[in-house]
Amino acid sequence: MEGCIFCRIAKGEMPCNKIYEDDDVIAFLDINPINEGHTLVVPKKHFDKFSETDDQELEILIKAVKKIANAIKVAMNADGYNIGVNNERVAGQLVYHVHFHIIPRFDGDALENWKGKNVSSNELKQTCEEIKKVISFSY
Ligand code: AMP
Ligand code: ZN
């Protein structure tokens, strides 16, 4: 994909702090880490976003994410990690080449976890029905 920064990194045309590579996947440190060891796991094939990524590719990717995340946890002496995908601009996606973030977490780090909203059981039921309707005709 012409001009895509992660395609260029995957092809070795741009430098990165590479921590892992195989035939399908490359993983490198995020240049603006949220915590030390923040890593991006990127398929070598270009897909704009998670929602458009082949199922087969996702299988390969999620297995690599697990292996790399567990290694990072040990290497960084972390207490846990977050795994995230930002899908589309509203969710914070800046680079339109699908990638998983692995963010090591340390007891007492200053990162805030998401806070849940209070909603009524009726609202939850209604939301549940709206989503179920779409799933039932998509699959
Ligand atoms: P997202 O907002 O989910 O699209 O995440 C894009 C991430 O890519 C951000 O956290 C950036 O800091 C990171 N990033 C952008 N360019 C590079 C680069 N050349 N090398 C490493 N990380 C990068
Ligand atoms: Zn790309």
Side-chain angles (χ1 to χ4, degrees):
M1 188 71 164
E2 200 98 342
C4 169
I5 188 169
F6 287 176
C7 281
R8 295 192 62 207
I9 289 174
K11 285 187 202 141
E13 294 170 4
M14 258 190 77
C16 70
N17 292 105
K18 181 166 68 187
I19 63 166
Y20 175 82
E21 183 174 17
D22 61 28
D23 289 346
D24 304 300
V25 169
I26 184 167
F28 49 88
L29 296 180
D30 195 296
I31 36 164
N32 292 128
I34 290 173
N35 254 348
E36 192 184 357
H38 180 175
T39 294
L40 302 175
V41 183
V42 176
K44 289 187 173 177
K45 267 193 219 158
H46 180 96
F47 298 91
D48 277 357
K49 46 192 173 177
F50 178 83
S51 47
E52 291 175 356
T53 306
D54 280 355
D55 288 356
Q56 206 188 340
E57 200 67 32
L58 283 176
E59 259 181 55
I60 293 168
L61 262 178
I62 200 67
K63 286 179 185 163
V65 167
K66 182 183 177 191
K67 170 175 164 165
I68 296 162
N70 288 339
I72 291 171
K73 182 172 181 276
V74 173
M76 294 288 99
N77 206 14
D79 301 299
Y81 51 75
N82 292 110
I83 289 169
V85 178
N86 298 328
N87 193 70
E88 304 204 32
R89 196 199 311 243
V90 70
Q93 184 173 7
L94 296 173
V95 176
Y96 274 72
H97 177 133
V98 66
H99 52 280
F100 282 76
H101 293 257
I102 300 169
I103 301 163
R105 297 297 304 268
F106 304 90
D107 284 337
D109 68 26
L111 298 182
E112 279 199 25
N113 293 318
W114 287 345
K115 296 210 172 24
K117 294 177 186 171
N118 285 322
V119 290
S120 68
S121 60
N122 270 348
E123 280 175 279
L124 283 178
K125 253 186 213 146
Q126 201 184 329
T127 304
C128 187
E129 290 310 316
E130 280 163 18
I131 297 169
K132 272 160 60 180
K133 261 188 261 161
V134 178
I135 288 180
S136 64
F137 74 75
S138 304
Y139 292 91

